[in-house]
């Protein structure tokens, strides 16, 4: 996986905390591929999503979030879908105006909105201050964007409520592996709409 070029998983695992169920199963000296295989085999999907979120480079990680959350576009509001689309555009061409626009657009969305977490990932990307525009510069903590990516992917698995979360996780992990290997994850959101059942 050329986008996750680590011999072992120590650096990745230092960026977030595994669940109590996952901790006994994972050795920090294991390869990323071994960690991925263990978490997937044990169906520890939340941990696996967080692992990918912190293992992929920043732009690839946020791109993965936009594509993953996009699988649920039929169940989201027009504002949420706009945030997802603009976040994907930001990944392709990062710019400060779009980052600040997303900050404003996600404000009215509830915290349980997967799209809000995608927008936060962009805002916390490290490409600019997270303080109000006229205030002194405050940069986000390292890998704060990855916490938002994990939040986005895992929230989309659960909310809005549905019975398709297992198929969803299967698809998003396939996308993550493809991105880790240098692919795009998927060609377009539209092509993947039929891959995950709505109920």
């Amino acid at each position: 996986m050329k986008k996750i070029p680590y011999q072992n998983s120590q650096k990745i695992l230092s960026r977030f905390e595994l669940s109590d169920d996952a901790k006994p199963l994972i050795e920090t000296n294991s390869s990323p591929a071994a960690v991925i295989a263990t978490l997937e085999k044990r169906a520890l999907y939340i941990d696996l999503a967080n692992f990918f979120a912190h293992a992929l480079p920043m732009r690839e990680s946020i791109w993965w979030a936009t594509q993953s959350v996009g699988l649920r576009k039929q169940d989201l509001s027009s504002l949420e879908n706009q945030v997802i689309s603009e976040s994907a555009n930001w990944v392709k061409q990062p710019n400060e105006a779009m980052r600040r626009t997303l900050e404003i657009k996600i404000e009215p969305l509830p915290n349980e909105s997967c799209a809000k977490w995608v927008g936060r990932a962009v805002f916390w990307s490290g490409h600019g201050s997270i303080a109000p525009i006229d205030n002194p510069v405050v940069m986000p903590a390292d890998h704060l964007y990855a916490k938002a990516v994990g939040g986005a992917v895992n929230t989309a698995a659960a909310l809005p409520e549905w019975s398709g979360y297992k198929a969803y996780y299967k698809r998003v992990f396939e996308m993550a592996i493809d991105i880790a290997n240098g692919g795009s994850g998927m060609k377009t959101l539209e092509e993947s709409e039929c891959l995950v059942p709505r109920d």
Side-chain angles (χ1 to χ4, degrees), residues 131-136:
I133 291 176
D134 294 331
N135 288 27

Side-chain angles (χ1 to χ4, degrees), residues 47-60:
D47 289 294
L48 183 50
N50 286 326
F51 185 84
F52 276 121
H54 288 82
L56 290 167
M58 182 271 294
R59 285 174 70 182
E60 285 83 352

Side-chain angles (χ1 to χ4, degrees), residues 1-179:
M1 295 182 289
K2 64 182 181 180
K3 296 290 184 176
I4 308 179
Y6 302 105
Q7 294 298 313
N8 62 61
S9 300
Q10 183 175 2
K11 184 174 289 188
I12 301 166
L13 294 170
S14 71
R15 299 170 182 169
F16 74 102
E17 188 166 352
L18 290 167
S19 70
D20 290 340
D21 289 334
K23 284 177 183 176
L25 306 174
I26 302 300
E27 297 287 342
T28 58
N29 62 353
S30 297
S31 68
V35 172
I36 291 165
T38 298
L39 293 175
E40 188 165 25
K41 181 179 179 181
R42 297 299 185 97
L44 294 169
Y45 300 140
I46 292 174
D47 289 294
L48 183 50
N50 286 326
F51 185 84
F52 276 121
H54 288 82
L56 290 167
M58 182 271 294
R59 285 174 70 182
E60 285 83 352
S61 182
I62 298 176
W63 176 255
W64 177 55
T66 66
Q67 303 303 286
S68 299
V69 172
L71 291 171
R72 301 220 56 191
K73 66 186 296 184
Q74 294 179 348
D75 300 309
L76 303 178
S77 69
S78 58
L79 175 57
E80 287 174 311
N81 281 310
Q82 189 177 18
V83 166
I84 295 164
S85 177
E86 291 182 9
S87 296
N89 288 337
W90 180 89
V91 174
K92 295 174 186 175
Q93 192 170 8
N95 67 84
E96 181 65 2
M98 189 179 295
R99 192 182 72 89
R100 285 292 184 176
T101 296
L102 283 165
E103 175 194 17
I104 295 167
K105 284 190 174 179
I106 66 174
E107 184 61 33
L109 295 175
N111 282 332
E112 58 268 23
S113 166
C114 54
K116 185 165 192 167
W117 287 103
V118 173
R120 280 178 172 162
V122 171
F123 187 61
W124 293 343
S125 63
H127 273 243
S129 175
I130 58 174
I133 291 176
D134 294 331
N135 288 27
V137 170
V138 176
M139 298 304 290
D142 289 344
H143 307 290
L144 187 58
Y145 70 86
K147 296 186 187 307
V149 167
V153 173
N154 285 319
T155 299
L159 299 172
E161 290 186 14
W162 64 335
S163 61
Y165 76 95
K166 288 184 179 178
Y168 166 85
Y169 272 127
K170 181 178 186 297
R171 178 59 182 145
V172 300
F173 295 146
E174 288 172 353
M175 290 161 49
I177 291 293
D178 185 53
I179 292 169

